[in-house]
Amino acid sequence: MDLSLTTEQQALRDTAREFVDAEIVPNIQEWDRAEAVDRAIVGKLGDIGFLGLTVPERYGGSGGNHLDYCLMMEEIGRGDSSVRGIVSVSLGLVAKTVLRFGTEQQKQAWLPGLCSGASLACFGLTEPDTGSDAANLNSKAVRDGDDWVINGSKMFITNGTWADLALIFARTGGTGPKGVSAFLVPTGTPGFSHTEIKGKLGLRGQSTGELTLDNVRVPAEAMLGSEGEGFRIAMAALDKGRMSVAAGCVGLARAALDASVRYATERDQFGKPIAGFQLVQEMLADMAVATDAARLLVWRVADLIDREQPFGTAASMAKLHATENAVNAANQAIQVFGGYGYIDEYPVGKYLRDARVMTLYEGTSQIQKLLIGRALTGVSAFT
Amino acid sequence: MTNIVVLVKQVPDTYSERKLTETDHTLDRESADAVLDEINERAVEEALKIKEAGEGEVTVLCVGPDRATDAIRKALSMGADKAVHVSDEALHGSDLVATSRVIAAAIGKLDSVDLVIAGNEASDGRGGAVPAVVAELLGLPQLTHAHHLAVEGSTVKVDRETADEGITHLEANLPALVSVTEKINEPRYPSFKGIMAAKKKPVETYTVADLGIDAGEVGLTNAWSAVQSASPKPPRQAGERVEDDGEGGTKIAEYLVGQKLV
Ligand SMILES: Cc1cc2nc3c(=O)[nH]c(=O)nc-3n(C[C@H](O)[C@H](O)[C@H](O)COP(=O)(O)OP(=O)(O)OC[C@H]3O[C@@H](n4cnc5c(N)ncnc54)[C@H](O)[C@@H]3O)c2cc1C
């Protein structure tokens, strides 16, 4: 097995680093305080082809495989998890899903815009009353002639107030997962509205919205996949999405580690750099080992996807470990920084606030353990 | 169709610690991260803009050791069409006259060059004379220190800006050589497609012998200048702190005047 990167992958990583250091890192404090990134960043990511990774060129994408995608996500995650999340959702959860399940017409209609950054997408699964238990969602789509009429509300939707396209999951049949269908809904459709959710602990730079669909009418061609296939589509999207979150978390943990190493060698106490104290080195070593392990888990998922092998459980493992590690690493970084870690002059406090949501969304840590447990035992502990 | 050659150099990253080797006082290329000089990214950007505005082909030309292929690849992934790489052990320690001769000879290998674009000075050696010497050797008009560049038909127009002389408007017939300053443009990032395309672009490699140059004319032992001794930069002094007790502004102004900074 050869874990070295090709020349092109190194060049991709270097470009991503350079881009992140110049276009993202200098702005993170301001974007965090303003509770919004400068949305021009989306177009810039589109210009260099990052929003089209893994999408074929004939749909406006830039090609590339899932390892390329993870290398990019690690670098963006190192810079700012808000930006990483915007990409994860628009490209990772929506564009890739349209590519996999869409008709030729749907792909032509949506992919070029999403890949260039001219448009942005959101993924509407969670509802006020159904989070982990997404298969019981309540939004309803009713057939009316050649159209579907959708009613319901969606909670905590990333890109929710910025998106041009919403991938909406709604019930078209009976209870449970088999009654759910997926729809590609332009957010300008009459009856579609959104409210910004303010006051988030972290990821303050990205928009998180509550969506309301009040008799939203879409043509039959807006359905993605077939009737009743929606939940399977959502889970397939989230399997890949978990790799995306995990890759971003490797970047976040690396940022926390890099900042800690730099600070530990610069800060003197008791007449020497704090890096010279064994208890500080222990924190740094723990962060480094767990972060490298997370990266290897992420790369394994990418490799499985690129070789078209089953990857669901590997994705859950990567997501579980990488997200828990991101929280730990950011928390340890604050410990290394002492009081200076507690103020936003330094980025480590933001790393912890941003990291905290990673063990919650796209399947909580508990849900990942249930998925891994079910794969190990063949017994579902969900109900 | 404008055929443009861009001179590019791989230099130690200005963010890393830059050193000279202890033995022969040449640049210690191993001690620092090597990157495409930023001024050359601007030169490539300018060439690409000319190409995109009309028709043309952009060739990057690099004289440097084997590892300089990374810098060449970056220029190709930004969008240059092909590359020429002159790499030869004998070139180690060459002075700017010898380097310029090699560059001129390599340009001579290409068909019908309309425009040569270079950075005004590399961020490592900072001699800033290579573009002028190359122009002289090739008998081309030299339009140096350009902060604006336009090709119109068979002429090139440049706004030349230097600290001493202000702005001068220059114009020459093609073929010509232009060197650009930091202010010329903001270089693009290589796109993912550009990175993937770069590996398929042709890179021609030459030794000095291929260019008809005798190894005895280049290299450290044949250089016209020599570094006798070198010592590292002294560590940075602690800064001076000005407490603002209402007079802060005045104190800062006095300090700057005292240091002859204003
Ligand atoms: C910033 C942010 C962005 C988000 N973006 C999106 C988005 O773009 N699209 C989208 O659809 N959703 C999004 N979400 C929603 C997210 O996916 C949900 O919050 C998540 O699925 C958890 O659901 P819940 O919040 O309702 O928690 P609940 O499901 O109510 O869980 C509460 C607790 O109970 C535990 N729990 C629940 N069931 C079990 C069980 N069977 N066994 C053991 N423990 C269990 C959970 O692990 C958790 O600890 C986002 C959330 C946030 C905070």
Side-chain angles (χ1 to χ4, degrees), chain A residues 89 93 122-134 154-160 167 169 200 202-203 206-208 238 357 359-367 370 381-383:
Chain A
V89 171
L93 288 183
C122 67
F123 182 85
L125 179 65
T126 304
E127 298 183 355
D129 295 333
T130 56
S132 300
D133 190 13
K154 296 288 172 182
M155 187 67 182
F156 295 133
I157 305 305
T158 304
N159 296 343
L167 174 53
F169 298 90
K200 293 196 298 276
L203 296 189
Q206 64 177 226
S207 117
T208 306
L238 288 174
V357 75
T359 68
L360 301 175
Y361 67 17
E362 303 211 16
T364 63
S365 288
Q366 287 72 27
I367 294 300
L370 295 186
F382 279 99
T383 47

Side-chain angles (χ1 to χ4, degrees), chain A residues 7-9 11-12 15 18-19 22-23 47-50 53 57 60-65 68, chain B residues 34-35 41 69-70 73-74 77 186-200:
Chain A
T7 308
E8 286 70 35
Q9 283 162 341
L12 163 64
T15 302
E18 215 180 293
F19 180 89
E23 309 287 340
D47 288 345
I48 59 173
F50 280 13
L53 271 177
E57 292 189 24
S62 17
N65 62 27
D68 298 331
Chain B
V35 295
E41 288 184 19
T69 44
D70 291 343
R73 202 174 302 106
K74 176 144 193 204
S77 56
E186 275 309 313
R188 70 193 65 188
Y189 296 95
S191 71
F192 182 71
K193 276 189 228 174
I195 290 169
M196 298 311 281
K199 71 174 161 192
K200 296 183 201 110

Side-chain angles (χ1 to χ4, degrees), chain A residues 80 157 161 200-201 233 255 287 290 293 313-314 316 351 368 375 382:
Chain A
D80 185 14
I157 305 305
T161 61
K200 293 196 298 276
L201 177 65
I233 292 174
M287 288 158 84
T313 309
S316 286
Y351 296 155
Q368 304 308 329
F382 279 99

